Amino acid sequence: MVADHGDVLVPVGDSETLRRTVAYAVEQAYESAAETGESVTIHFVYPARWRIFETDRDDITIANELLNRVVVWAEEDLDELVGEDAPKPVNVESATVGTSEYVFSPGDFADVISRYADANGVERIVVDPSFRPGGSVPILRSFEEELAQRGFDVFEAPVTRQTRRRLPFTDIGLPEFFLVYAVSFLFYLALGGWHVTDLYEVVTGAATAGVVTLTLSRVALKSELPDLRLIGMSLVRLAAYTPILLWEIAKANVALAYVVLHPRLPIDPRIVEFDAAVWGDMPVTTLANSITLTPGTLTIDVSRQHFLVHALIPEAEDDLLEGTLERLVRFVFYGRDSASIASPRERLDDGEEEN
Amino acid sequence: MTPLEILAAAFVAVGTFFGFVATVGIIRLPDLYSRLHAASKSDTLGSVLSLAGIAVVFGITTESMKLVFLLVFLFVTSPTAAHAIARAAKEQEVEPAGENAWLDENDAESEGEGGER
């Protein structure tokens, strides 16, 4: 593996093999520095998963702490390789990328990483084999392919994952397994009419829950147990959101029935485009589906947080740009602080003034 | 008729009305995207209201709980399906009626990288 110059980029995310990946990357960099006699830089890059704003400060802290830890590890390894006081042939840098956009698909991750790599003249990328850019979705392979297509040399660090016990056929540990198992089992019993004393029900339920957990656990859960307190808060706010949504749906249907049954069919279909101020897969999905269910609007396409919406009647477009729904979705997922963000119309106007 | 039966009948009647609206909408509306409005909204509400009417008849039993689950799943899957159809139509470059033309041609340069997929 001889590149023109040996600069290395390592995408960083919390994983059990991160420590050994760092050691491997440092070794590689040190070797190529020794071969060419020039100094080599290692870039540790943390791809942010969604746009960071006031109520999401925790994500920045987590990213920075992880990057600091990685830099300390890399410097320790260097000290071991060249000795504490000797001049270092390897520089260590760290950065967070993708903070200003909603990074979602393997292509998105490859985009933000390759932009950073191009800006810093890096051609070699060392990937941690248990790096999980997509959270719950296993997209590492396609992420690596996307990077290779963009002309980078992509290597997986040869580290094995053994630190955490995983159950056969799954990618999860015991606590996660039991959570999914318990939910599936209770759901089965509830559907069967809650005959808890009936042995037949209990045995078939246990078997079914086992199959469901083994096949669907990676879909149902992210890599670790979710924060139950956060989920509880979201559920409470979701309970408040549901009646409002139902009311909006009722209004939508009366309006649509009027338009459809009117002899002259008074519609004025048009396409509306806007950037929603919600981040993360669940909030974006919720907003997209809510838009489809409410007055005269239908979500056609969503790319990151960019929405393409079909509006059937002009009032629908107004409602959409007032941003009531968007504000509600933000309230459900991020709490009250985030409700004060400007509506899409105000944001659009601001953008036009700047141009 | 007991008040409960009247309530159930009302639910089913309104549900049937919206099912009718959905059908008329699919026939009358001019293009794929407008028709999806009828299919995704009126149709959802129509089936949801009918199911709610049946749930009222059953009272608080396992059956009505299953119906409630059905309602929740309908609310989640129906807009998702509509979105999938609309998105597929857009990828096939089906032109919407009315004030047409995709807006993204105008500001293609600003969002260029994200679009191709």
Side-chain angles (χ1 to χ4, degrees), chain B residues 89-107:
Chain B
K90 187 211 158 205
E91 311 257 287
Q92 297 287 315
E93 289 163 11
V94 177
E95 284 292 324
E99 254 181 69
N100 55 359
W102 299 105
L103 293 178
D104 43 346
E105 254 98 63
N106 307 334
D107 46 17

Side-chain angles (χ1 to χ4, degrees), chain A residues 105-160:
Chain A
S105 72
D108 299 344
F109 279 101
D111 275 344
V112 292
I113 295 279
S114 67
R115 237 178 284 146
Y116 178 90
D118 288 341
N120 291 280
V122 185
E123 285 165 7
R124 210 147 50 127
I125 296 178
V126 171
V127 182
D128 173 0
S130 37
F131 174 56
R132 275 198 207 95
S136 59
V137 196
I139 61 171
L140 185 65
R141 285 289 161 266
S142 17
F143 168 67
E144 287 172 0
E145 270 162 31
E146 294 273 350
L147 280 176
Q149 273 175 21
R150 286 166 174 75
F152 295 102
D153 294 328
V154 182
F155 303 99
E156 245 183 43
V159 289
T160 47

Side-chain angles (χ1 to χ4, degrees), chain A residues 191 260 262 297 301 310, chain B residues 28 37 41 66 87 90 103:
Chain A
L191 277 190
V260 163
H262 196 284
T297 46
D301 202 356
H310 186 261
Chain B
R28 282 193 78 191
H37 284 273
K41 279 187 267 284
K66 286 178 191 166
R87 191 191 151 110
K90 187 211 158 205
L103 293 178

